[in-house]
Amino acid sequence: MTRIICVAGARPNYMKIKPVMDALERRGVEVVLVHTGQHYDPSMNDVFFRDLGIRTPDLYLGAGSGTHAQQTGRVMAAFEPLLDELTPDAVVVVGDINSTLACALVTAKAGPLLAHVEAGLRSRDWSMPEEVNRVATDRVSDYLLAPSPDAAENLRAEGYREDQIHVVGNVMIDTLLANLDRARQSDVLDRYGLTRGGYGLVTLHRPANVDDPAALGGLLKALGEIAERCPLLLPVHPRAAERLADVGVPGGVRLVPAAGYLDFIALQDSARLVLTDSGGIQEETTALGVPCVTLRENTERPITVEEGTNVLAGTDPERILATVNRVLDDPPAPRCPALWDGRASDRIAEVLLAGGSADTRPRPTDLVPTGAGTAPQ
């Protein structure tokens, strides 16, 4: 029997790994779920496992928090002996968190085939730790499982071979579509006294937005002005709670506890618009046809702007306000990219079970140089 390890470590991973596990198990694969423990707060972990019906992890590494180096190192040290013991045929990592890179590096050195789900996404912003994780994980992976054609083009431009690149669609949308009816049965709108189309939904968690008091203050100023036209609901990410309290939240912006998966999908689905700095929410709103304003200067998911409902507003308060007013006056027409159809995980399983060997791993001579002494652009 084929044995495949699936790795998850934090909230952004759970929605991506569940459909892949299901698709592999339907095909008779022995799936070992490894949770690195990068997220361990119940609001970021337990409720998502329960909402998504993810089984208890087979192994829990307990990585915890810390600096990027500490967290990555702890995951690597814990994952290496586990890999030696289990001798899997392949390892699947998803997304771009520290756990993704840590387990990818260990796997590449140990020898099993390595598959990266969401390969090829690029923001080209090297100040984002996630960008470093994405590029490094792709570089050591055998299977590059891209969610969209633009991601595949990024990989081709970086010199990867065509036989490594597979455009499979978006696993986040597999999970969204599988759970949408359940989410719409949630009573979260009643709990908060909301009506469909009567509020905006906000999420803030990226360090560039919440760790700098001046940057956060500017964002909150803009949100306060937007709230005069459209009341805003802001589920508080644990890492942002204290900083929001320190800066002060303007009137019209209502703070609520972090939401579970089903409640949050229900809140997105019924919002007049969503303001976010999250990559995954750009994708979910596109699939739901809900206008999204991204509070960042760049996005690794440009397809949500080109073919979806997402608008990139940056972080300047005046630009944000002008963008939101434009979106409220003339919402973008709902559009959904090709292959965001709920079957990405099946395509992934078919790729992984089609065969191959660790000898397919890219070597430096296979790759087009990106420039002496410079990071790939």
Side-chain angles (χ1 to χ4, degrees):
M1 176 184 289
T2 300
R3 174 183 290 168
I4 295 179
I5 292 177
C6 289
V7 177
R11 172 175 170 169
N13 285 176
Y14 307 148
M15 297 83 80
K16 301 167 190 175
I17 205 66
K18 174 63 161 64
V20 176
M21 292 172 54
D22 290 348
L24 290 170
E25 289 178 337
R26 284 196 299 270
R27 289 162 172 79
V29 173
E30 179 190 356
V31 174
V32 179
L33 175 58
V34 175
H35 190 323
T36 69
Q38 183 171 327
H39 273 176
Y40 48 87
D41 184 288
S43 69
M44 303 294 288
N45 185 75
D46 298 357
V47 66
F48 278 77
F49 271 65
R50 183 175 64 249
D51 281 356
L52 295 173
I54 303 176
R55 59 180 168 82
T56 301
D58 298 293
L59 295 151
Y60 183 80
L61 305 186
S65 57
T67 68
H68 290 287
Q70 290 169 339
Q71 198 171 61
T72 304
R74 280 198 296 266
V75 173
M76 291 180 72
F79 190 62
E80 185 176 49
L82 183 155
L83 205 60
D84 289 341
E85 178 185 346
L86 291 176
T87 61
D89 297 286
V91 174
V92 177
V93 295
V94 297
D96 53 25
I97 64 171
N98 289 337
S99 295
T100 303
L101 176 59
C103 293
L105 290 171
V106 171
T107 302
K109 293 183 177 184
L113 291 165
L114 175 64
H116 184 203
V117 175
E118 284 198 335
L121 296 182
R122 300 288 186 267
S123 69
R124 295 176 175 82
D125 180 355
W126 287 91
S127 69
M128 295 176 63
E130 297 91 343
E131 183 75 354
V132 178
N133 292 343
R134 292 179 202 116
V135 172
T137 299
D138 284 344
R139 185 55 58 98
V140 297
S141 293
D142 300 286
Y143 297 106
L144 299 168
L145 304 167
S148 51
D150 62 299
E153 285 305 312
N154 288 335
L155 294 167
R156 293 186 184 102
E158 292 172 13
Y160 291 97
R161 297 189 319 275
E162 199 64 36
D163 63 298
Q164 293 177 266
I165 302 168
H166 306 271
V167 180
V168 294
N170 193 327
V171 289
M172 287 274 288
I173 308 309
D174 288 20
T175 296
L176 173 67
L177 296 178
N179 290 280
L180 187 54
D181 287 343
R182 291 174 62 219
R184 285 173 171 165
Q185 294 170 16
S186 167
D187 66 351
V188 66
L189 267 65
D190 291 337
R191 273 184 271 140
Y192 291 139
L194 303 170
T195 58
R196 185 175 184 87
Y199 64 95
L201 181 65
V202 182
T203 76
L204 292 172
H205 79 282
R206 291 197 177 273
N209 282 342
V210 302
D211 288 354
D212 179 347
L216 182 58
L219 289 174
L220 290 172
K221 178 179 181 295
L223 294 178
E225 295 186 46
I226 293 165
E228 294 177 5
R229 180 173 180 186
C230 176
L232 299 176
L233 188 78
L234 199 170
V236 181
H237 191 288
R239 80 177 310 277
E242 185 175 337
R243 293 168 179 83
L244 287 167
D246 289 342
V247 174
V249 177
V253 180
R254 180 181 175 188
L255 301 185
V256 297
Y261 180 76
L262 295 176
D263 283 354
F264 193 73
I265 293 298
L267 288 170
Q268 286 188 77
D269 184 51
S270 292
R272 185 176 177 186
L273 84 163
V274 175
L275 299 100
T276 187
D277 58 9
S278 162
I281 291 171
Q282 296 171 52
E283 296 174 320
E284 289 170 344
T285 50
T286 283
L288 291 169
V290 175
C292 178
V293 175
T294 295
L295 308 176
R296 288 168 48 188
E297 299 295 340
N298 52 62
T299 178
E300 65 283 354
R301 294 163 170 88
I303 194 168
T304 63
V305 177
E306 297 158 5
E307 298 187 24
T309 56
N310 186 25
V311 180
L312 202 60
T315 55
D316 176 73
E318 291 186 6
R319 183 178 165 198
I320 292 170
L321 184 59
T323 301
V324 169
N325 282 331
R326 187 170 69 249
V327 168
L328 289 174
D329 290 339
D330 185 19
R335 296 174 295 173
C336 196
L339 300 185
W340 290 25
D341 56 3
R343 295 194 60 247
S345 53
D346 287 318
R347 288 186 281 267
I348 288 171
E350 289 163 9
V351 168
L352 295 180
L353 296 179
S357 104
D359 291 337
T360 63
R361 180 165 293 125
R363 291 169 175 76
T365 54
D366 297 325
L367 301 172
V368 175
T370 54
T374 62
Q377 299 298 311

